[in-house]
């Protein structure tokens, strides 16, 4: 049974991620395609909500990593509509610039690199604590974001660490 699950997960990941990567590179880099997705964002939101409700009703209580869930067509339909919704909603409603977005644009790679070790430390510190799940997720969300930014700000100022951890040779003055 373990071999079949491993085979499915391997196939599922390659079967989903490779076409998604290629679509992102060849299809979603086309401005006219992205404009059509941006214009259809309300319809995509409705499709995502309907397919999500359908999926939840049919799979509520099942382990989301189980092969019987991962191989479902309704899960993949929901994921497809959600990805398109995010791709359309971002440029439609989040295409603006301010001090915060400019800063995040400059340090997002560092946060991306550092957030997993930060979350692992937070999870380690929270292990064994009897906290409600919403509190745990809240601590992880806020703590992971804040600590990742602080750690990035420290690391980017130390030349050796900046190069070893982030691969950045010279410090940017405007971050």
């Amino acid at each position: 049974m373990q071999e079949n699950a491993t085979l499915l997960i391997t196939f599922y990941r390659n079967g989903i991620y490779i076409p998604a990567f290629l679509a992102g590179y060849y299809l979603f880099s086309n401005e006219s395609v992205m404009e059509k997705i941006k214009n259809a964002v309300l319809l995509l939101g409705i499709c995502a909500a309907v397919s999500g409700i359908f999926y939840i009703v049919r799979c509520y209580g099942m382990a989301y990593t189980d092969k019987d869930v991962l191989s479902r067509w309704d899960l993949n339909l929901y994921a497809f509509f959600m990805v398109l919704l995010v791709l359309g909603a971002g440029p439609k409603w989040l295409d603006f610039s301010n001090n915060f977005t400019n800063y995040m644009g400059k340090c997002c790679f560092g946060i991306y690199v550092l957030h997993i070790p930060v979350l692992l430390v937070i999870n380690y510190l929270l292990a064994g604590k009897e906290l409600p799940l919403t509190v745990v997720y809240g601590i992880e969300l806020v703590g992971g974001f804040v600590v990742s930014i602080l750690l990035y700000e420290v690391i980017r100022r130390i030349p050796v660490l900046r190069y070893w951890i982030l691969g950045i040779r010279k410090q940017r003055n405007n971050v």
Side-chain angles (χ1 to χ4, degrees):
M1 184 66 177
Q2 181 64 25
E3 282 183 32
N4 291 341
T6 303
L7 180 62
L8 174 73
I9 290 171
T10 302
F11 176 76
Y12 172 78
R13 287 184 178 156
N14 291 327
I16 294 293
Y17 295 147
I18 291 172
F21 172 78
L22 293 173
Y25 186 77
Y26 290 110
L27 185 62
F28 298 119
S29 62
N30 185 319
E31 291 291 328
S32 64
V33 171
M34 289 306 298
E35 192 63 33
K36 288 176 184 173
I37 291 173
K38 187 169 79 170
N39 291 335
V41 73
L42 256 29
L43 177 62
L44 291 170
I46 292 167
C47 291
V50 169
S51 62
I53 291 167
F54 182 76
Y55 161 68
I56 290 169
V57 166
R58 295 190 55 184
C59 294
Y60 185 79
M62 296 173 70
Y64 69 93
T65 59
D66 189 63
K67 69 180 174 93
D68 293 332
V69 174
L70 289 178
S71 61
R72 295 182 63 91
W73 65 270
D74 48 355
L75 168 67
N76 290 294
L77 183 68
Y78 170 57
F80 174 74
F81 282 127
M82 283 302 296
V83 167
L84 290 179
L85 176 63
V86 169
L87 287 174
K92 186 170 183 90
W93 293 311
L94 299 174
D95 190 17
F96 60 90
S97 179
N98 59 31
N99 288 338
F100 177 75
T101 60
N102 291 337
Y103 172 77
M104 292 306 295
K106 292 174 185 168
C107 70
C108 64
F109 176 73
I111 295 169
Y112 170 73
V113 168
L114 297 170
H115 84 280
I116 293 296
V118 167
L119 289 176
L120 288 172
V121 169
I122 291 171
N123 285 335
Y124 177 78
L125 295 173
L126 292 176
K129 308 274 191 293
E130 295 294 324
L131 298 171
L133 196 55
T134 54
V135 173
V136 171
Y137 280 132
I139 291 170
E140 289 179 358
L141 177 69
V142 174
F145 187 68
V146 170
V147 174
S148 295
I149 290 173
L150 293 174
L151 188 57
Y152 168 76
E153 286 298 327
V154 169
I155 289 173
R156 81 175 184 94
R157 288 174 168 76
I158 304 170
V160 173
L161 292 180
R162 180 177 64 234
Y163 179 68
W164 284 352
I165 297 173
L166 302 174
I168 301 170
R169 292 184 189 269
K170 294 183 180 179
Q171 180 175 355
R172 292 185 225 153
N173 294 330
N174 56 357
V175 175

